[in-house]
Amino acid sequence: MDLQFVLQALAILFHVFFMVLYPPISCFLMYKLFTGGYFAILLGYLIWLIYDWQTPSKGSRLSMALRRTYYMKLCQQYFPITLRKTAELDPSKNYIIGHHPHGILSFGATNFCQEYSNFSSLYPGMRSYLSTLKMNFLFPIRREYFEFLGVTDCSKNAIQYLLSKPRKGAAVAIVIGGAEEALEAHPGKHRVVLKSRKGFIKLALHCGTLKPVLLSSCQAVAVLFNIFIILISPLPILYYIYYILMYTSYWWVMMLYFLWYLYDYESPRRGSHLFMCLRRCSLFKCLADYFPVYLKKTAPLSPRKNYLIANHPHGITAAGLFVNFLTEATGFSDAYPGITTYPGTLDINFLIPFRREYMLMLGAISCGRESVKYMLSKPAGGHAVVLAVGGAEEALEAHPGVSRIILKSRKGFVRLALICGASLVPSYSFGEVDVFNQINNEKGSLLRRVQDWFRKIATFSTPIFYGSYIFLPYRRPICTVVGRPIDVEKCEDPTQEQIDRLHEIYVNELLTLFNNYKVSYGLPESAQLEIL
């Protein structure tokens, strides 16, 4: 028989013993101590118990060393017990984790009181606590064992204590169904006790750890405003300009604006008019919370260098790129101090009056060669130009669950990086293609041929899409993972061989990033990034 299996079985037997058989045995041992002349030992422990009585309600005595013991590893490997991550947890916040189902002994819940399922690695900066009934802390030795594992009392006061502490990053796991749910535990049955269990919701709302799943008015306004600016605003803006010029006495106001427009025409190619206060507008935070949108940092960026961040995929509206790089809603400046982002977009987006000023104040620039070169050639460093490399063509490939990008023939950004000596940084927005459905437009279909024809003429594409309530995007998480920088040696006149070699390195880095994080953000292990 395999020795490893024997050790695992012994570990589980000890766990079952400690959970089920130990309480009556501990009571018997206490009785023997009382009647066997060891009253002093019992009295000493009782004094300690009185002194330590509130510890399970005050955050326990979490010891990471105990969570990492070989015994805990054996218990985890016996089944095995695994932990699957689907979204980020912000360590600047506290969380209540509702765990289902209870089962007989809640083995799955041990993910939150041992480290061999990699909770701390998956959620850096977070501290997990598992809550249980107060009666489990009545039995000597076992109560200390639970305390050192970070197990706490599941009472209202105990949970509030943890979630209300100034130090954030606490995640309290509660087995919501409790003892009643254990009676529903049968193999093959997926049954939980939840309908009447609302106390944890009240606690979360009280402590600010759970946001209601209903769409808030702030989020609705933010999303509608963003859709209006991107898709709808050109028509009403042009109409009102025409109306003011033709039917009001304020035509001179528009003439002044047009003089400004001519004077400022080159600004999209000269670094924009970035106004950080606008980037920090709370409306963008509401926009980020709608999906929600997250930013994942995998490596630092030096403020002494310039960077070209290539973002994939474009999706329908490039929501991940917009929120993460054009606003401060996800804290880019905090994650990468000293780095200022300048997302590039089509020149056509700067033609519409007033909207162009909005884009320029957000720090958007033209994605043209001269514009990108201007920003990346600044000697001071700390500039990061962000490009959706796949562009308009890639938007036509945006279908939920499809990981497909346009990259094989896109080498202009690589050439620019070589000319400017800017480091290349791959980034991938997981979930970007899932927030809208797009009408089927397979290559070769009549619709796709029309879309491709129009794209070549107009430079932008026309995906036919729909979402929640037709025009609202679905509330599905988007996480933009920013990879490690690829150092690039400056070469003012790169050869095709140099461009191809750097492009190959970039593609390999992007594939590595995708494969390393795809499971963490909801894609199956078998998912492959298709590069066209």
Side-chain angles (χ1 to χ4, degrees):
M1 186 178 292
D2 183 16
L3 176 61
Q4 187 71 8
F5 174 75
V6 172
L7 292 174
Q8 291 169 4
L10 289 173
I12 287 297
L13 286 172
F14 178 77
H15 180 80
V16 173
F17 164 79
F18 220 48
M19 294 296 295
V20 180
L21 302 177
Y22 179 77
I25 292 175
S26 68
C27 293
F28 175 75
L29 290 175
M30 290 176 68
Y31 170 75
K32 295 299 290 183
L33 287 173
F34 182 75
T35 59
Y38 298 99
F39 178 75
I41 296 176
L42 181 60
L43 180 62
Y45 183 80
L46 289 175
I47 293 172
W48 160 255
L49 185 63
I50 293 170
Y51 170 78
D52 193 56
W53 184 253
Q54 290 298 321
T55 297
S57 302
K58 300 295 182 183
S60 72
R61 301 180 185 279
L62 174 58
S63 168
M64 295 303 289
L66 180 58
R67 286 189 171 187
R68 295 190 176 105
T69 57
Y70 187 58
Y71 159 71
M72 301 303 296
K73 182 178 182 179
L74 290 171
C75 289
Q76 180 265 336
Q77 290 178 338
Y78 175 83
F79 296 94
I81 300 169
T82 58
L83 183 65
R84 169 76 179 275
K85 175 181 177 180
T86 62
E88 292 289 326
L89 296 185
D90 185 350
S92 65
K93 299 178 181 179
N94 292 327
Y95 297 86
I96 286 180
I97 299 175
H99 180 77
H100 313 270
H102 184 287
I104 302 298
L105 291 178
S106 289
F107 284 112
T110 61
N111 277 311
F112 307 108
C113 63
Q114 51 92 0
E115 276 300 309
Y116 287 100
S117 298
N118 299 317
F119 183 92
S120 294
S121 300
L122 291 171
Y123 302 100
M126 298 299 302
R127 307 178 312 282
S128 61
Y129 299 88
L130 178 62
S131 61
T132 186
L133 295 173
K134 196 172 184 68
M135 67 173 293
N136 286 320
F137 295 96
L138 296 178
F139 305 103
I141 310 302
R142 191 174 81 163
R143 76 185 303 275
E144 284 73 27
Y145 171 72
F146 280 167
E147 287 176 3
F148 282 116
L149 281 178
V151 179
T152 68
D153 171 15
C154 66
S155 67
K156 173 184 174 182
N157 290 336
I159 295 171
Q160 277 186 343
Y161 176 84
L162 278 171
L163 299 180
S164 301
K165 293 177 75 173
R167 183 189 176 191
K168 301 298 183 181
V172 181
I174 305 174
V175 186
I176 306 296
E180 183 180 352
E181 197 170 80
L183 300 176
E184 301 290 345
H186 298 278
K189 300 292 184 182
H190 302 285
R191 190 178 296 144
V192 299
V193 177
L194 185 59
K195 281 187 178 179
S196 61
R197 302 295 172 104
K198 299 179 182 179
F200 73 105
I201 299 290
K202 185 178 179 181
L203 267 174
L205 291 171
H206 177 77
C207 299
T209 58
L210 177 70
K211 294 180 180 176
V213 295
L214 295 177
L215 179 64
S216 73
S217 57
C218 171
Q219 293 168 1
V221 169
V223 172
L224 289 171
F225 177 76
N226 193 50
I227 291 173
F228 172 79
I229 290 293
I230 294 174
L231 302 177
I232 304 171
S233 65
L235 290 177
I237 287 174
L238 294 175
Y239 169 77
Y240 280 112
I241 289 174
Y242 171 77
Y243 180 81
I244 291 170
L245 287 172
M246 301 300 295
Y247 298 104
T248 74
S249 58
Y250 296 102
W251 58 269
W252 57 272
V253 175
M254 295 311 306
M255 295 306 296
L256 288 175
Y257 174 79
F258 286 131
L259 289 174
W260 159 257
Y261 187 97
L262 293 173
Y263 170 79
D264 193 56
Y265 187 75
E266 288 299 317
S267 286
R269 287 160 287 281
R270 290 294 180 267
S272 72
H273 298 302
L274 175 58
F275 185 50
M276 289 302 292
C277 287
L278 180 58
R279 280 193 173 184
R280 295 190 178 101
C281 175
S282 58
L283 193 67
F284 295 131
K285 180 62 177 173
C286 292
L287 177 62
D289 289 342
Y290 173 87
F291 294 94
V293 179
Y294 302 102
L295 179 70
K296 172 69 175 179
K297 174 183 177 180
T298 64
L301 300 182
S302 171
R304 293 190 294 272
K305 296 181 179 180
N306 291 325
Y307 298 90
L308 199 163
I309 301 175
N311 183 253
H312 316 268
H314 185 286
I316 301 295
T317 59
L321 186 153
F322 182 92
V323 173
N324 284 307
F325 301 115
L326 209 55
T327 81
E328 280 296 312
T330 55
F332 184 92
S333 293
D334 295 330
Y336 300 97
I339 303 294
T340 305
T341 54
Y342 296 89
T345 186
L346 295 172
D347 282 333
I348 193 172
N349 288 319
F350 296 103
L351 294 179
I352 306 300
F354 302 109
R355 189 176 79 162
R356 74 183 296 275
E357 279 69 33
Y358 171 74
M359 299 293 290
L360 290 171
M361 290 175 71
L362 280 175
I365 62 172
S366 165
C367 63
R369 182 178 64 180
E370 293 305 317
S371 173
V372 175
K373 188 176 177 181
Y374 175 84
M375 292 305 304
L376 296 181
S377 298
K378 290 192 172 185
H383 300 91
V385 174
V386 185
L387 297 177
V389 175
E393 184 179 356
E394 196 170 82
L396 299 176
E397 301 290 347
H399 296 274
V402 177
S403 303
R404 185 182 298 141
I405 63 173
I406 307 294
L407 184 58
K408 280 185 180 179
S409 61
R410 302 295 171 105
K411 299 181 181 180
F413 73 104
V414 174
R415 186 173 187 274
L416 278 170
L418 282 165
I419 292 173
C420 301
S423 298
L424 272 176
V425 182
S427 67
Y428 195 91
S429 294
F430 292 92
E432 180 70 58
V433 297
D434 297 327
V435 297
F436 283 108
N437 288 319
Q438 184 174 180
I439 298 296
N440 188 27
N441 61 341
E442 292 182 3
K443 284 195 172 183
S445 65
L446 176 61
L447 174 60
R448 185 57 173 269
R449 290 200 300 271
V450 172
Q451 288 175 325
D452 286 337
W453 171 79
F454 182 83
R455 175 179 56 81
K456 290 174 183 177
I457 295 174
T459 72
F460 62 90
S461 59
T462 53
I464 303 174
F465 61 91
Y466 61 93
S468 178
Y469 301 102
I470 301 177
F471 55 86
L472 282 178
Y474 294 112
R475 302 188 72 186
R476 293 167 182 167
I478 300 172
C479 184
T480 301
V481 182
V482 181
R484 61 185 181 183
I486 303 168
D487 290 331
V488 177
E489 187 176 344
K490 186 174 181 179
C491 178
E492 294 186 358
D493 188 20
T495 64
Q496 189 61 46
E497 183 182 355
Q498 289 174 306
I499 294 171
D500 290 342
R501 184 164 60 250
L502 182 56
H503 185 270
E504 183 180 355
I505 293 171
Y506 174 82
V507 170
N508 290 334
E509 281 291 328
L510 178 63
L511 287 171
T512 300
L513 182 147
F514 178 85
N515 290 326
N516 285 347
Y517 290 94
K518 61 184 179 182
V519 175
S520 298
Y521 297 111
L523 293 178
E525 185 67 44
S526 59
Q528 298 294 322
L529 180 60
E530 185 180 353
I531 299 178
L532 302 179

